[in-house]
């Protein structure tokens, strides 16, 4: 399960990440990334001054398959991104959009596609 503080929930965050973020596409998925984004912005009433953790969200449409297939794909992607959160810069937002081929892809193929997309977006930089 993806920890609560690492979940992307707000519609505005999804939209901003997809519209303004960098993107890398692979055979089974597309990854959108905004590095170092802070949802607090310049709010003077922010409770804390700590850096927010990276957050991830998922888009799995009906084109992927029926509900059982979509949920399986989303569970796999959630598990894969959880193991890669340490690679993401603090405060970054990630949206992983599953493409129709992801419904028939196995776990290893999804992992390779996710790794390749993140490597391209992060430019080989480890944080």
């Amino acid at each position: 399960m993806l920890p609560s503080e690492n979940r992307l929930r707000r519609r505005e965050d999804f939209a901003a990440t997809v519209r303004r973020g960098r993107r890398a596409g692979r055979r089974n998925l597309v990854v959108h990334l905004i590095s170092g984004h802070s949802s607090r912005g310049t709010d003077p009433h922010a409770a804390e001054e700590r850096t927010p953790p990276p957050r991830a969200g998922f888009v799995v449409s009906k084109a992927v398959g029926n509900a059982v297939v979509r949920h399986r794909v989303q569970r796999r992607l959630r598990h894969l991104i959880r193991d890669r959160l340490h690679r993401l810069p603090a405060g970054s937002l990630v949206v992983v959009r599953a493409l129709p081929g992801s419904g028939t892809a196995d776990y290893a193929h999804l992992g390779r596609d996710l790794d390749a997309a993140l490597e391209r977006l992060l430019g080989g930089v480890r944080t």
Side-chain angles (χ1 to χ4, degrees):
M1 186 56 103
L2 195 62
S4 178
E5 66 270 5
N6 295 116
R7 293 183 197 153
L8 194 61
R9 290 192 180 96
R10 295 179 40 216
R11 174 186 275 262
E12 296 84 20
D13 291 338
F14 273 90
T17 305
V18 170
R19 286 189 190 125
R20 294 194 311 255
R22 295 176 52 215
R23 122 180 132 225
R26 293 293 173 254
R27 170 177 254 174
N28 298 310
L29 49 88
V30 177
V31 178
H32 301 268
L33 172 72
I34 295 181
S35 296
H37 178 77
S38 175
S39 61
R40 288 184 181 88
T42 57
D43 182 12
H45 303 291
E48 300 176 5
E49 292 299 323
R50 70 178 192 93
T51 308
R55 294 184 295 151
F58 306 94
V59 177
V60 184
S61 74
K62 287 185 178 182
V64 172
N66 64 24
V68 173
V69 173
R70 290 194 311 268
H71 286 285
R72 180 176 50 233
V73 169
Q74 186 165 355
R75 281 193 310 270
R76 287 177 174 175
L77 291 173
R78 204 169 39 227
H79 181 77
L80 287 165
I81 201 75
R82 182 189 69 195
D83 293 339
R84 290 153 178 84
L85 284 173
H86 67 278
R87 294 175 54 188
L88 301 173
S92 61
L93 303 179
V94 177
V95 172
V96 180
R97 185 166 41 101
L99 297 177
S102 63
T104 57
D106 64 358
Y107 186 80
H109 281 97
L110 288 175
R112 282 194 294 273
D113 282 354
L114 184 59
D115 285 336
L118 287 175
E119 189 69 28
R120 179 167 183 222
L121 289 171
L122 296 173
V125 176
R126 304 278 184 218
T127 56

